[in-house]
């Protein structure tokens, strides 16, 4: 039986009101591109910040800060005008989980090559999107980043598996396409309705607790799950189906939700519609 998504709207709106805020932004990788004014700097910072956005927020924020600080006041310009020696210098000693300095160097050189060639990464998305929709646009961007740089960016850029939810690239697209007090809205080729939900394991679990997918989902999400969740949430807002992404992410980032019943459930806006509520009571 199809879940009645519309009954969730007031509860999701309450999550949005609480977490879709400047305060949440302070502990989100999106805070890095927002520090710049020029669109090319915002875009360069967004690519770097989203690439490192895996694992614990507190662990990856200083890494992003280190890379961007080394690129100076104008990371977009620094990349576009930079050479291999600069990328090596910036990447020197940057190790974060699966990412090594050569991976960082490859990410920087790939981004730089696309900025030099097209002035933006948007054309790489749009060429794939025009040929086959949003998933194809994401694959096209991943391929362009991987094939344009020197070396292998490793885990920093997805390998282009259409089964993968490509969470960080979906999030980058959200930042670049949606426009509000949070997202940047620099790219104009896609509409917010073209976006796919950036689905990680935490949001996947919460969506399952809300009946927006299989219950008790402990597996890693796949692209088909991101598409299914996006379609369900499009029933609430066809023009902006990923509207709740930032807020739902911060339900987890803030420590309010750990994906199962816990002491914070009583204060959670979703408690009356969450599958964990029996255990919470
Ligand atoms: S009620 Fe508890 S388990 Fe459910 S979403 Fe809220 S914090 Fe998470």
């Amino acid at each position: 039986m199809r879940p009645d998504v519309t009954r969730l709207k007031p509860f999701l709106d309450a999550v949005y009101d609480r977490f879709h805020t400047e305060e949440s932004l302070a502990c989100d990788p999106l805070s890095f591109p927002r520090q710049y004014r020029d669109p090319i700097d915002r875009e360069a910072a967004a690519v770097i910040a989203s690439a490192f956005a895996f694992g614990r927020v507190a662990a990856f924020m200083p890494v992003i800060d280190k890379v961007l600080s080394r690129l100076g006041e104008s990371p977009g310009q620094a990349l576009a005008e930079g050479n291999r020696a600069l990328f090596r210098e910036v990447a020197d000693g940057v190790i974060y989980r699966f990412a090594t300095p050569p991976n960082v160097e490859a990410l920087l050189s790939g981004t730089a090559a696309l900025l030099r060639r097209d002035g933006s990464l948007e054309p790489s998305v749009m060429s794939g999107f025009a040929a086959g929709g949003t998933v194809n646009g994401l694959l096209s961007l991943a391929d362009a980043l991987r094939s344009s740089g020197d070396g292998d960016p490793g885990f920093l850029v997805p390998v282009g598996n259409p089964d993968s939810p490509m969470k960080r690239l979906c999030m980058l697209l959200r930042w670049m396409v949606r426009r509000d007090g949070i997202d940047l809205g620099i790219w104009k080729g896609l509409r917010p309705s073209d976006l796919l939900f950036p689905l990680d394991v935490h949001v996947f679990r919460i969506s399952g607790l809300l009946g927006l997918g299989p219950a008790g989902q402990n597996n890693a999400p796949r692209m088909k799950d991101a598409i299914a969740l996006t379609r369900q949430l499009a029933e609430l807002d066809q023009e902006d189906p990923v509207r709740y992404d930032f807020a739902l992410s911060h339900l987890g980032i803030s420590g309010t939700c750990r994906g199962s019943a816990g002491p914070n459930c009583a204060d959670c806006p979703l408690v009356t519609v969450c599958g964990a509520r029996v255990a919470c009571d």
Side-chain angles (χ1 to χ4, degrees), residues 84-102:
R84 204 163 178 175
L86 173 81
F87 306 145
R88 186 157 295 169
E89 201 178 306
V90 171
D92 185 40
V94 178
I95 297 172
Y96 174 62
R97 297 190 67 177
F98 322 115
T100 62

Side-chain angles (χ1 to χ4, degrees), residues 147-222:
S147 60
S148 305
D150 297 314
D152 179 2
F155 194 76
L156 294 173
V157 178
V159 288
N161 173 359
D163 256 1
S164 155
M166 293 184 277
K167 185 255 172 174
R168 287 168 288 151
L169 287 187
C170 285
M171 184 176 71
L172 173 65
L173 238 58
R174 194 203 87 212
W175 293 356
M176 302 307 288
V177 172
R178 282 188 88 253
R179 187 185 187 90
D180 59 13
I182 301 294
D183 291 318
L184 306 166
I186 295 171
W187 293 351
K188 305 298 180 196
L190 297 180
R191 296 160 300 177
S193 57
D194 295 317
L195 297 174
L196 290 171
F197 217 89
L199 195 55
D200 62 16
V201 69
H202 304 292
V203 173
F204 189 41
R205 210 169 287 149
I206 293 172
S207 69
L209 291 172
L210 296 177
L212 298 171
Q217 38 204 19
N218 290 315
N219 301 329
R222 295 164 63 185

